[in-house]
Amino acid sequence: MSENNRVKERIEKAAASVSDNYNNQGLFSVSIGERLPKETEIIDVLNEIRKIVFPGFFGEENSAYVNLENFAGNAIAMVYEKLYRQIRTVLLFRGKRNRSEDFDLEVENIVLAFIDKLPKIQEMILKDVEAELEGDPAASSKEEIIFSYPGIYAIFVYRVAHELYKLKVPYIPRIMTEHAHGKTGIDINPGATIGEYFFIDHGTGIVIGETTIIGNHVKMYQGVTLGAISTMKGQQLSGVKRHPTIEDYVVIYANATVLGGDTVIGKNAVIAGNTFITESVAENTRVSALMPELNIKTRN
């Protein structure tokens, strides 16, 4: 057998096996006329919203020369068009629904409900910027935070995705937060509920689960996990409160783990680094783990 025939045979064999996988998984069955959501366009939506929230920071426009109201109107119209297409696509695909005037009106109402939330999203993220500036002595200005802090980017994406999650839009909220996760190392499920003035310092390795509730003025450092005690039951736990509640003015230091849907960290509590918590903590409490014993020897 020639070298070319051998290569061709191996490729054909692999292709046949992959085709069998396609046929065995309804996951890949897309009818004519159906489309999957487009990740690049969803990220484009995030970028456009970021320009709206922080005019002059991430676009080509110079905010000293443009009419910001006109700019906002044009940018919001662009977000509407792109988001309409993607929400329409995911609803058609997820529900295998028929196109109709009623369906198009439903999509329009969802997108408009989200557009109505844009001013509130902006207000919330600007409060988060304030929290970063007040909480981080290394921050020189709000501008530096907006331009460069991964925590602010992750929170911004979460706040956008959370509003879509509340509108029961499938796929898109998680695509958004996983984009931020890959970019920042911060994993915030769009279903989590997070209050005002949320401060993430450094941020790498933070995990915040879907049913987590976080109050106002909470400060969190890198490596923190707000998770479930067990996910062994899988889909049976869907919709169940399985992640902790963090009340106002709580500080959680690096690499702490807080687990469980019944776990409540009370107001003004401080959770020290490297602690593991599966029970509620009272207000005004400091929780810390015992320092490991150090064994220090002089080198010869």
Side-chain angles (χ1 to χ4, degrees), residues 26-265:
L27 181 65
F28 305 114
S29 177
V30 179
S31 301
I32 293 173
E34 287 185 342
R35 291 188 300 132
L36 294 169
K38 193 172 182 180
E39 183 182 13
T40 54
E41 188 148 332
I42 292 168
I43 294 170
D44 283 345
V45 169
L46 281 175
N47 291 335
E48 292 299 329
I49 295 172
R50 198 181 187 199
K51 293 175 188 176
I52 294 165
V53 172
F54 303 116
F57 279 76
F58 301 105
E60 297 299 322
E61 75 285 339
N62 185 327
S63 58
Y65 297 107
V66 300
N67 180 302
L68 288 181
E69 185 174 347
N70 291 342
F71 160 75
N74 292 333
I76 290 170
M78 187 176 298
V79 167
Y80 174 87
E81 290 180 10
K82 291 183 177 183
L83 198 54
Y84 180 94
R85 286 196 298 270
Q86 292 306 306
I87 289 178
R88 192 174 189 276
T89 297
V90 297
L91 290 179
L92 284 171
F93 181 76
R94 173 73 174 267
K96 308 295 183 183
R97 297 154 79 165
N98 295 321
R99 297 164 176 82
S100 67
E101 289 185 8
D102 288 344
F103 172 69
D104 288 342
L105 181 60
E106 178 187 351
V107 176
E108 181 180 299
N109 286 336
I110 291 172
V111 181
L112 288 175
F114 173 78
I115 294 298
D116 289 343
K117 293 292 185 180
L118 281 176
K120 182 63 176 177
I121 292 171
Q122 184 182 40
E123 290 174 12
M124 293 286 282
I125 194 64
L126 290 175
K127 288 177 180 178
D128 298 326
V129 171
E130 287 183 31
E132 294 272 355
L133 184 62
E134 292 174 5
D136 185 2
S140 62
S141 66
K142 290 182 180 179
E143 290 82 359
E144 179 185 27
I145 291 166
I146 293 168
F147 274 126
S148 60
Y149 273 42
I152 280 297
Y153 185 74
I155 297 168
F156 156 72
V157 173
Y158 154 77
R159 295 211 183 277
V160 171
H162 182 63
E163 294 301 330
L164 293 169
Y165 178 94
K166 290 195 296 183
L167 292 167
K168 302 187 185 306
V169 174
Y171 306 133
I172 292 175
R174 196 61 185 266
I175 290 171
M176 288 179 168
T177 54
E178 287 305 321
H179 164 70
H181 182 194
K183 191 177 176 71
T184 67
I186 299 167
D187 182 1
I188 307 177
N189 189 288
T193 301
I194 301 177
E196 298 180 341
Y197 298 98
F198 185 43
F199 171 37
I200 289 178
D201 200 359
H202 305 295
T204 305
I206 282 177
V207 177
I208 300 175
E210 180 186 27
T211 61
T212 302
I213 298 174
I214 297 175
N216 300 324
H217 297 277
V218 170
K219 180 187 288 190
M220 191 176 298
Y221 289 78
Q222 68 273 15
V224 168
T225 296
L226 304 181
I229 290 178
S230 173
T231 58
M232 294 291 288
K233 294 182 179 179
Q235 286 297 311
Q236 296 178 49
L237 295 173
S238 180
V240 175
K241 177 77 165 73
R242 56 196 186 277
H243 303 97
T245 296
I246 312 298
E247 295 187 343
D248 299 346
Y249 294 98
V250 169
V251 179
I252 307 179
Y253 284 100
N255 300 315
T257 298
V258 184
L259 304 181
D262 295 328
T263 303
V264 178
I265 307 300

